[in-house]
Amino acid sequence: MTLDEFKAACAALAADAPAQIAAVADLDAWTALRNALVGRASGRLTDIMATLPQLPKEDRREAGQAANAVKLEVEALLTARESGLSAAAKSGGDLDLTMPERRRWVGAAHPVSQVIDEITEIFRELGFTIALGPEAEHTWYNFQALNFPDDHPAMDLHDTLYLQGDLVLRTHTSPVQVRTLQQYAPPIRILAPGNVHRRDPFDASHAPTFAQVEGLVVDEGITFADLKATLTHFANRFFGSTRTRFRPSYFPFTEPSAEMDVLCGVCKGSGCSVCKNSGWVEILGSGMVHPAVIESAGLDSTKYTGWAFGLGPARTALARHGIPDIRILYDSDVRFLEQFAR
Ligand code: PHE
């Protein structure tokens, strides 16, 4: 073995390596090639180095430098090829990394559900719990127990959807008042959200099926001041500090009765289409529970008094967002609904 032969062997390795390294298709093949070229046990370079002792002593230094230069060159090519191969393996190989990301759809609560959730939270902080009742309800719970006179127009076929026997689709959530009073002893503080049904035409401000949230407080010594303070607190929490007003009203199951208005959130009272130019939006009906209701649930109306309210979260959502037509809440149109994702 001469120095020239040794150098020729090194040059041959340096000449062969680039094409071989470029041709490697995956990490397994890369490992095999690295072992074949520069592997310590049996690689081509190791074989060349093994001939070094056969060279004249004075040539060994130069030969060693030549072999080392080839080693560095081949190893640099191997390292570059390895990082290319592992990047391709991570990205799944042939994926098009320039393709735009697919749109992610995020589910969200319906604006009416959001209103119900917020109302529930505000009253939960005040110690109210949730009570539920059936949507197919006995006429007694829906009407008679709530002090409706037998000739009340709400009982008319034109207004109420009758099922079999004495069952109706409940026209309001107030029957839950009676069911709760029958089941639990005062003090009572409940909130009853749920769907109700009326034979109303589907128009901009009416839907035949809609949600209500009922509230009921019954205990000894409850007065109209409790009603007013609690509902005013609720309005300020829900709408952010606002003005409220109570107007006298009538319901068979409350006496006295009042409707609560809040200052129109859209025009702040100056008048617009949402508040029909009045500056106020009606948000709930309320009143002191009629003694006849307390008695029909089997409680002593000389001992217990209470107040109740009923609110339509769909109307509340319309007022809050300045939406002109209730039907859009029922359309399931994603272009509308996605505005309320949060
Ligand atoms: N139930 C009444 C309605 O549906 C609302 C209401 C509830 C009024 C409780 C007073 C007290 O319009």
Side-chain angles (χ1 to χ4, degrees), residues 172 174 177 198 212 214 251 253-254 285-287 308-310:
H172 52 178
S174 299
Q177 290 187 30
R198 292 182 192 172
Q212 280 195 337
E214 189 89 9
F251 302 99
F253 39 92
T254 49
S286 66
F309 74 92

Side-chain angles (χ1 to χ4, degrees), residues 13 39 99 103 151 213 315:
L13 173 55
M99 195 166 99
R103 171 153 185 196
D151 60 354
V213 178
R315 293 257 175 94

Side-chain angles (χ1 to χ4, degrees), residues 193-311:
N195 282 336
V196 305
H197 310 266
R198 292 182 192 172
R199 274 189 76 166
D200 275 335
F202 211 168
D203 65 26
S205 52
H206 296 87
T209 293
F210 56 98
Q212 280 195 337
V213 178
E214 189 89 9
L216 174 71
V217 173
V218 172
D219 199 0
E220 295 178 41
I222 300 290
T223 69
F224 197 89
D226 297 309
L227 176 160
K228 216 177 158 182
T230 309
L231 292 178
T232 303
H233 166 83
F234 158 71
N236 283 306
R237 278 293 309 278
F238 185 86
F239 293 99
S241 315
T242 182
R243 282 173 59 203
T244 53
R245 70 176 185 190
F246 287 81
R247 279 180 296 101
S249 185
Y250 172 78
F251 302 99
F253 39 92
T254 49
E255 181 59 33
S257 304
E259 281 170 333
M260 184 172 80
D261 297 342
V262 296
L263 205 65
C264 177
V266 175
C267 65
K268 309 280 177 231
S270 59
C272 68
S273 63
V274 170
C275 61
K276 300 191 184 72
N277 279 318
S278 70
W280 296 90
V281 180
E282 179 205 321
I283 63 154
L284 57 83
S286 66
M288 298 305 291
V289 180
H290 197 292
V293 176
I294 296 198
E295 295 288 337
S296 65
L299 293 176
D300 182 354
S301 66
T302 62
K303 186 173 176 197
Y304 295 115
T305 53
W307 60 272
F309 74 92
L311 171 157

